[in-house]
Amino acid sequence: MPDYTIDVQGMVDFLTALLNIPSPTGYHEAAIEACENSFSNLPLALHRSRKGVLIGTWEGHEGSAPRGLTAHIDTLGAMVDTIKKDGRLKLTQLGGWAWGSVEGEGVTIMTQSGQTYRGTILPTKASVHIYGADARDFKRDSDHYEVRLDIRADDAEEVCILGISVGDFVAFDPRIEIGKAGFIRSRHLDDKAGVACIYGAVKALADAGLVPAQRAIVHISNYEEVGHGGAAGFPPDMAELLTIDMAAAGGPQNSDEFSVGICVKDAGGPYHIEMKRRLVALAEAADIPYRLDVYPYYGSDGEAYWRSGGDVAVGLIGPGVDASHHYERTHVDSLEATARLIAEYLLAE
Ligand SMILES: [Zn+2]
């Protein structure tokens, strides 16, 4: 067995820094740049595609069947849809989240000119003292939520003068908390935790002086939450693609927050059987805790590549995330298991 060590603390530090950079889908530049800076210390030849994907190439012992790894830095978020007469903001969604999952959340509005403003997502009838039963029971949809800005502005005109406009991006506060027991609580672990696992795996192998069996392509995607992140950006000779994205843990699922999830099937159908066989065999041989699972309402960048015509074998693994697309949680053990399985995959003959 090749000898390498996953720097779990280094991976958590990378993840924390990335979580603190707002990157709702479509607003990816700063997060991609942060990845580029961290990845520049790894043995990857880096470039960005026209779409903004960060692509890193790592020469392997062989280049006959290059292996891709993809994970996405874009997250759920929102955009200003309407500036209401009273100066509050109606939002439109970026990605698939439930309105109740962001009720009361702090937000940052990023304006066209680069200014930022703070506010809170609230129900349009928030106060029980004013609205009684209507504050408790209402339809959780875009018409019943708004952003209350922390600025003195009484109407839409005053808000516009500050530079806020329709189309401005809105980022939810991640609210990161890392507990002594190893839990990591934050929004947007999907899929910044996956990006961190790739970073941890490549760094571990590089630190140990190891080289992947085949040329590896690291693809950090920026439009996954809207379905087409993985549609482009891979070289034509790539033979297989391992997607690193969260495992949906909780409730009836088989995934958990302490192992690496290997997805067998999601809403887009089954992943490639040969990839699944190999990933299970690698996990067993290296004694990595893993969970096979099926995610009913889930899609990935691996499927996006398949649907765009990618003629490769596609697999999906990732850290277990509880309450995904809500206020999420995972555990360092899950990050470590995922990074180890990525490392084993890269080394495998
Ligand atoms: Zn994801």
Side-chain angles (χ1 to χ4, degrees):
M1 279 266 166
D3 201 18
Y4 61 86
T5 309
I6 306 289
D7 173 7
V8 176
Q9 189 57 50
M11 205 160 47
V12 171
D13 291 346
F14 172 93
L15 173 59
T16 305
L18 194 54
L19 287 167
N20 276 315
I21 300 170
S23 57
T25 301
Y27 191 89
H28 53 262
E29 285 149 322
I32 287 285
E33 192 175 314
C35 284
E36 198 168 29
N37 288 338
S38 296
F39 285 15
S40 66
N41 300 316
L42 303 175
L44 300 172
L46 296 169
H47 75 280
R48 290 195 213 183
S49 73
R50 287 186 289 271
K51 186 172 169 179
V53 175
L54 178 65
I55 299 158
T57 307
W58 191 6
E59 287 308 325
H61 289 299
E62 288 182 47
S64 53
R67 296 172 186 165
L69 297 173
T70 186
H72 65 94
I73 52 93
D74 64 306
T75 71
L76 303 177
M79 195 178 253
V80 177
D81 177 86
T82 309
I83 302 173
K84 297 183 182 183
K85 281 202 187 87
D86 63 358
R88 297 205 172 193
L89 309 175
K90 185 182 176 188
L91 299 178
T92 181
Q93 295 181 280
L94 299 174
W97 44 272
W99 283 93
S101 71
V102 295
E103 193 170 316
E105 189 58 274
V107 295
T108 300
I109 291 76
M110 284 93 72
T111 73
Q112 173 80 16
S113 65
Q115 288 166 286
T116 57
Y117 292 99
R118 295 284 293 158
T120 311
I121 297 177
L122 291 171
T124 50
K125 294 181 176 175
S127 170
V128 288
H129 301 111
I130 301 170
Y131 300 107
D134 286 350
R136 294 190 169 91
D137 286 317
F138 59 92
K139 193 163 192 302
R140 262 73 181 171
D141 65 12
S142 62
D143 289 334
H144 292 88
Y145 286 93
E146 61 190 10
V147 173
R148 176 189 65 193
L149 292 164
D150 297 335
I151 53 178
R152 287 191 168 201
D154 292 327
D155 56 36
E157 203 182 332
E158 288 180 23
V159 169
C160 290
I161 288 168
L162 293 168
I164 295 172
S165 90
V166 168
D168 285 347
F169 283 91
V170 178
F172 311 144
D173 288 356
R175 277 190 289 129
I176 307 156
E177 187 172 321
I178 299 172
K180 289 194 184 79
F183 285 103
I184 304 170
R185 179 147 56 80
S186 179
R187 289 188 187 276
H188 311 320
L189 293 172
D190 172 14
D191 182 31
K192 290 180 172 176
V195 179
C197 291
I198 293 180
Y199 172 78
V202 174
K203 185 171 182 299
L205 296 185
D207 286 350
L210 296 165
V211 171
Q214 289 282 349
R215 179 184 309 131
I217 299 98
V218 173
H219 176 281
I220 305 300
S221 157
N222 57 344
Y223 282 96
E224 192 276 347
E225 293 292 359
V226 292
H228 60 77
F234 300 103
D237 63 343
M238 187 174 77
E240 43 190 56
L241 176 60
L242 182 59
T243 310
I244 319 299
D245 209 338
M246 47 141 274
Q253 295 301 124
N254 195 39
S255 302
D256 66 27
E257 296 167 77
F258 313 103
S259 53
V260 53
I262 301 176
C263 180
V264 187
K265 172 183 181 282
D266 65 17
Y271 284 87
H272 198 278
I273 189 164
E274 215 299 295
M275 288 286 273
K276 178 200 140 190
R277 282 194 196 114
R278 188 141 36 102
L279 291 163
V280 167
L282 289 169
E284 301 232 331
D287 214 9
I288 299 167
Y290 71 95
R291 293 285 184 121
L292 295 170
D293 211 349
V294 171
Y295 313 138
Y297 309 105
Y298 185 111
S300 79
D301 267 343
E303 277 159 1
Y305 188 52
W306 259 349
R307 290 189 198 287
S308 74
D311 181 16
V312 300
V314 174
L316 172 70
I317 65 169
V321 170
D322 184 74
S324 54
H325 284 200
H326 204 293
Y327 188 31
E328 301 169 342
R329 192 183 72 172
T330 190
H331 191 276
V332 291
D333 288 355
S334 198
L335 299 184
E336 185 174 16
T338 305
R340 287 180 62 206
L341 188 51
I342 296 167
E344 294 297 323
Y345 171 73
L346 290 174
L347 291 174
E349 289 304 318

